[in-house]
Amino acid sequence: MTSCGLLTRFNKLVPLRSSSVTVLIRGFVADVGCELLYRNEEPRPVEAVFIFPMDTEAAVYAFQAHLGGTCIQAQLHEKKQAQELYGDTLAAGQSSFLLQQEGAGGDVFSCSLGNLPPGEEAALTLCYVCELPLEPDGAARYVLPAVLRPRYTPHGWDRADVTQAVPRVPQGALPYTLSLSATLQSPHGIDRVLSNCSLTPLSYTAGNRTSAQVSLAQAPPWDRDVELPVYYAESHKPSVVLEARLPEAEPGSLMGNPAVMVTLLPSLPEAVPGQSPAGEFIFLLDRSGSMECPMDGQDRSPQRIDSAKETLVLLLKSLPLGCYFNIYGFGLLWHYGITPCSVICYSSRAHPATLCPRHRLPVHRLAAKSLLLELEGAVGAGSEEDRRRALETSLSSGVVCSVTAYVGVDTEWRQPVQGPLVRRDIPLAGFKAAARMPYTQCLSLMACRSHRPVPRCASHECSVLMPASPLEAREDHPSMELFKNECMARTGRSGPRTCAPQAQYCLPPPPPIAEPGKPPVKGQLWKVLGTRLARCRGKPERAPEESPLLRLVSLQNADGSWDLDPQLAAALGVSETDAKGRMPSQDMPPGIWATVLAVVWLHGRAAGQRDEWELLEAKAVGWVRGQAGPRLSECLEAANALLGLNIGPAIFKL
């Protein structure tokens, strides 16, 4: 039998024909409209279900459909009531559509279109606003989520994960298209727009460059989110937007009061000669249950939490003396101490704003979403009072949350839709599920001195092909066939194999806080992260063991020196007697001799890991040069003799 219309590789019809996204970016706020165009090419009515990713902090505030020439506005209801209304409508033969958030995370939504008659088209449009994060180089970054990965589910989790059941097709074989066009507005002028996808040339629509338009030049690859960093000409100028209340809202309520957003984006000066290289740093560590998984997918490999701990030790030892830092962890499973103590630093991340469309009340919607995120956390813990408040806030603001859903019914269709209803799940692109979490996911670094987040670098990711769900792991399941074929195409064999990372767009690192001629601390710290990630690739199955480099680094003092003790001797691979007996002179402070030994060992035994220890070694060299004086050459000669190396005097700038 010959099928007509859009097909998956498994010869199943797909009613979704295109996804069209229009974005209005004003300053640091984006107002987004996503239109999904459906057409039923089958001889019977269908129900199309589309599960897609969404920005967690996006406020979805409207949902509508064009059916048979009629525009139908969906209404926001309590979720159970909306689901029941949708089901009753389908049973009665009427067309209906439903939009709901899946779970409390806020980053997965499902859109259902039921009883689409044969030969008919329908266009569903959802609208949301989101605040754009500020990048270290001053860009306002808009991201259109395009990649939906299965979520981690803890052992014993009894709730369904909708991401596991999403059908997958090979990269580049999706039977529908994606287009995106953006309008940019800023009273301070628009400088340029970048992207990780191909763009049309930026077209200015105002002579003073306060308005511009740009679009995707071609369909984007489905293996990454679409990113649009927007650079403004004078982003550091303050601005204020005052938004009037919603007229029909009760005075004194969230929507019944005026709202204001203020842009205060300070311009921080660059480092000057003589300025301290010390800064402020926050380390964010994932301690959730997923960190219990082995790094290489093998039972005898180190756990992710152990690798994150090692990386954290390297980063902390690399900080110049006098830096402020703090360590924050999230997750409930791991609670043991990572460091003996930390210096608390107080920081705040600026939330800049600018003029936004008044009639859609973006400021109010964002405020409602912020409150809903806070309330939903308590709802997950079983608080009925917070659930009531979340429901009330969602219904009054029009912003959907985990306890509400949008539902619309076509009441203009006179004749009930005839025939059995066929469900069609909209497929997503197949992906390379992470075989192990990149260090940039389990341990992130933010530079608090500039109050700007360090960008996520998408290019550092190790991955392996895996089936999407336990059901699909069956030999006769179509997704397992796809899994085997992709493995064969990539590796020449039918099993999973680690794939090389793909180069992706990554924002430049933040400006360094350092004296001229000294290593830029922040850039080098990210270099440490990248190098640590690269070394985790391709390791064979083995029992966890402590790295010799980490064993030595963990003994370093905060000022860059080492102590001459049995632990250091063991890390260097010499006896304690030799370590103390081969010291050039008995009146030499032991710390100088110990530090020279450690630095020589790094250059001779760990030269291939230079990117990881370069910063902490520079700190050690600076300390020992100030302490040893003219005896440094004598120490270097003795250290080479003890360790059996031949390291030149250049490492100590002699």
Side-chain angles (χ1 to χ4, degrees), residues 433-456:
R436 50 185 177 271
M437 182 178 301
Y439 285 100
T440 48
Q441 291 182 5
C442 65
L443 180 64
S444 62
L445 170 66
M446 293 185 293
C448 303
R449 184 185 178 98
S450 59
H451 304 298
R452 298 174 180 175
V454 171
R456 174 181 63 88

Side-chain angles (χ1 to χ4, degrees), residues 311-516:
T311 305
L312 182 58
V313 170
L314 276 172
L315 293 173
L316 290 176
K317 296 294 185 179
S318 299
L319 293 179
L321 195 62
C323 280
Y324 286 87
F325 71 92
N326 202 353
I327 302 171
Y328 288 86
F330 62 93
L332 299 177
L333 183 58
W334 302 96
H335 292 288
Y336 56 81
I338 302 298
T339 59
C341 61
S342 64
V343 179
I344 298 177
C345 62
Y346 295 92
S347 65
S348 61
R349 175 184 170 188
H351 290 276
T354 185
L355 294 176
C356 298
R358 177 179 176 181
H359 65 285
R360 295 187 176 182
L361 300 178
V363 178
H364 285 81
R365 311 288 190 192
L366 291 173
K369 181 63 177 182
S370 178
L371 177 59
L372 287 170
L373 288 173
E374 179 180 347
L375 293 174
E376 285 179 305
V379 170
S383 172
E384 287 299 322
E385 172 60 21
D386 286 307
R387 185 185 189 281
R388 182 194 64 78
R389 291 182 58 199
L391 178 61
E392 181 181 280
T393 301
S394 178
L395 294 177
S396 63
S397 65
V399 176
V400 70
C401 71
S402 60
V403 297
T404 58
Y406 271 106
V407 62
V409 179
D410 181 11
T411 58
E412 301 296 326
W413 200 268
R414 297 182 179 180
Q415 296 294 330
V417 178
Q418 302 295 325
L421 186 64
V422 179
R423 171 168 171 148
R424 293 292 183 234
D425 293 299
I426 307 302
L428 295 178
F431 61 90
K432 296 170 289 183
R436 50 185 177 271
M437 182 178 301
Y439 285 100
T440 48
Q441 291 182 5
C442 65
L443 180 64
S444 62
L445 170 66
M446 293 185 293
C448 303
R449 184 185 178 98
S450 59
H451 304 298
R452 298 174 180 175
V454 171
R456 174 181 63 88
C457 181
S459 62
H460 299 307
E461 181 171 329
C462 277
S463 53
V464 65
L465 296 168
M466 296 176 65
S469 67
L471 174 63
E472 296 178 4
R474 289 168 29 198
E475 290 294 328
D476 58 344
H477 196 278
S479 291
M480 178 54 74
E481 177 188 355
L482 166 63
F483 169 59
K484 290 181 177 179
N485 291 341
E486 288 197 4
C487 285
M488 180 66 72
R490 292 176 181 271
T491 67
R493 60 181 186 179
S494 59
R497 182 178 180 181
T498 301
C499 302
Q502 296 183 352
Q504 298 183 10
Y505 166 82
C506 183
L507 290 172
I513 300 178
E515 299 178 23

